Amino acid sequence: MKIGFIGLGLMGQPMAGHLLKAGYELFVHDVVDAAKQAIVDQGGVAVEHNQAVAETADIVITMVPDTPDVEAAMFSENGVAAGLSPGKIVVDMSSISPTATASFAQRIETLGCSYLDAPVSGGPFGAINAALTIMVGGPREAFDQVLPVFEVMGKTVTLIGTRNGDGQVAKVANQIIVGITVEAVAEALLFASKAGADPEIVREALMGGAANSIILENHGGRMLARNFEPGFRAELQQKDLNLAMQSARELGLYLPAASAAHDMYNATRANGMDKDDHISVLRVLESMANHQTTDGTKS
Ligand code: NAD
């Protein structure tokens, strides 16, 4: 089975690496040449554009940042659609709009191909350890064919529903929880520090109780270590909660906590922190609290 992989960034790089290690023939493209080299060094074949990926591979995976990037990768000149022939499967693993996904899928299906949306959760750590959670939308037959490929990259693979966009809906739900929880942990640690307690000891104590979560453990730990290297860029979290807000508008839903969290990730951009990790909401809160850091020093 020949697999194509488009988008070799923080997530795509290790995911593609696992496919190579599993013995798949891999054809890759990224608009950044340097991103391709690491995969070529591991035995992958770099091709000149996304069309060439689709011409060569049976299954074409995309892992790019946002909805317009997926549209460009699929439908621009020398894009995936131009290289497809009937029977191939396109799998978009980026986190993008559920509504745009349904329309991309329709356009791909008119070419005699199948489309799966299969966004992931778990971050670079999950990608490196082949432990991603993969949430899939699309036809069951295509899902069954791609399942062994998903299992090389992830631990929990779920067909959320057979409508295209169902996987993206699950991912937006995931990001509502993650986005709000990161903000909650930042507020709690800042509060503890401002109220005079040692936030390190508070975090350790809370990890034994009902407030514990992966986010208190991992993201809280990185907040206290003041490690704002991405990880998951604040601009990507802002994009995901933007998708939640758009969907809420379309559905006439009131999501007040997601809306407040969305504002906080907007503020990371306003403060020039959007390329840093999304735990940078802590620094936005600190900037509104007399520029004091959780360890008591000036930021
Ligand atoms: P990234 O920016 O590190 O990587 C994206 C890659 O896609 C880049 O190398 C870029 O050059 C390439 N690219 C963009 N447009 C392209 C095109 N038209 N053709 C070919 N290559 C193109 O982003 P990432 O962190 O790897 O995230 C990718 C997706 O996964 C996003 O939708 C993100 O929301 C989602 N995601 C990220 C994480 C995380 O923790 N980083 C976790 C879960 C999901």
Side-chain angles (χ1 to χ4, degrees):
M1 171 105 65
K2 292 177 182 167
I3 301 187
F5 207 107
I6 294 167
L8 302 162
L10 277 173
M11 298 294 287
Q13 197 73 242
M15 290 163 73
H18 291 306
L19 296 174
L20 274 174
K21 276 182 230 126
Y24 289 108
E25 270 190 82
L26 196 69
F27 298 85
V28 300
H29 182 65
D30 193 293
V31 286
V32 176
D33 277 340
K36 296 192 261 192
Q37 193 52 49
I39 293 296
V40 170
D41 292 344
Q42 294 168 61
V45 179
V47 295
E48 58 181 336
H49 42 53
N50 295 329
Q51 177 180 339
V53 174
E55 282 164 354
T56 325
D58 306 302
I59 295 174
V60 180
I61 298 173
T62 49
M63 191 55 169
V64 296
D66 200 353
T67 308
D69 304 306
V70 174
E71 184 162 28
M74 303 264 177
F75 303 110
S76 64
E77 203 187 338
N78 296 131
V80 168
L84 288 173
S85 47
K88 299 199 175 195
I89 305 177
V90 175
V91 184
D92 178 36
M93 302 192 78
S94 328
S95 309
I96 67 159
S97 155
T99 343
T101 291
S103 109
F104 297 162
Q106 239 175 7
R107 290 167 75 181
I108 294 294
E109 280 161 10
T110 59
L111 303 170
C113 299
S114 308
Y115 188 102
L116 296 172
D117 46 296
V120 307
S121 176
F125 185 79
I128 289 165
N129 292 295
L132 292 169
T133 292
I134 305 179
M135 298 154 266
V136 189
R140 183 175 292 279
E141 201 187 337
F143 173 79
D144 289 340
Q145 284 180 66
V146 183
L147 185 58
V149 176
F150 288 142
E151 285 173 341
V152 168
M153 300 180 281
K155 253 193 193 148
T156 310
V157 185
T158 309
L159 180 63
I160 302 291
T162 53
R163 286 181 324 166
N164 279 119
D166 283 344
Q168 297 293 357
V169 168
K171 174 65 185 180
V172 171
N174 184 79
Q175 292 307 87
I176 290 173
I177 297 171
V178 170
I180 293 172
T181 310
V182 168
E183 166 65 13
V185 167
E187 289 188 18
L189 294 179
L190 180 67
F191 161 75
S193 138
K194 289 293 186 186
D198 181 335
E200 297 264 7
I201 299 174
V202 170
R203 172 176 157 274
E204 286 288 333
L206 299 191
M207 276 163 49
N212 195 28
S213 65
I214 289 175
I215 289 172
L216 181 63
E217 289 178 20
N218 293 354
H219 300 66
R222 283 189 285 121
M223 286 177 197
L224 293 175
R226 308 204 67 76
N227 175 7
F228 298 100
E229 282 293 306
F232 185 55
R233 294 194 299 278
E235 64 180 358
L236 292 179
Q237 181 62 264
Q238 191 265 355
K239 174 253 313 178
D240 287 344
L241 287 176
N242 202 28
L243 294 174
M245 293 297 96
Q246 276 169 6
S247 299
R249 261 196 308 280
E250 285 162 20
L251 296 166
L253 277 180
Y254 176 53
L255 303 178
S259 173
H262 181 228
D263 271 347
M264 285 303 295
Y265 297 100
N266 283 341
T268 62
R269 179 168 292 185
N271 284 273
M273 301 165 187
D274 48 324
K275 304 286 180 206
D276 295 337
D277 195 86
H278 65 311
I279 63 165
S280 293
V281 287
L282 175 68
R283 286 186 294 172
V284 174
L285 293 170
E286 288 169 348
S287 73
M288 291 185 270
N290 306 325
H291 303 285
Q292 290 258 275
T293 63
T294 47
D295 60 5
T297 60
K298 293 278 180 195
S299 61

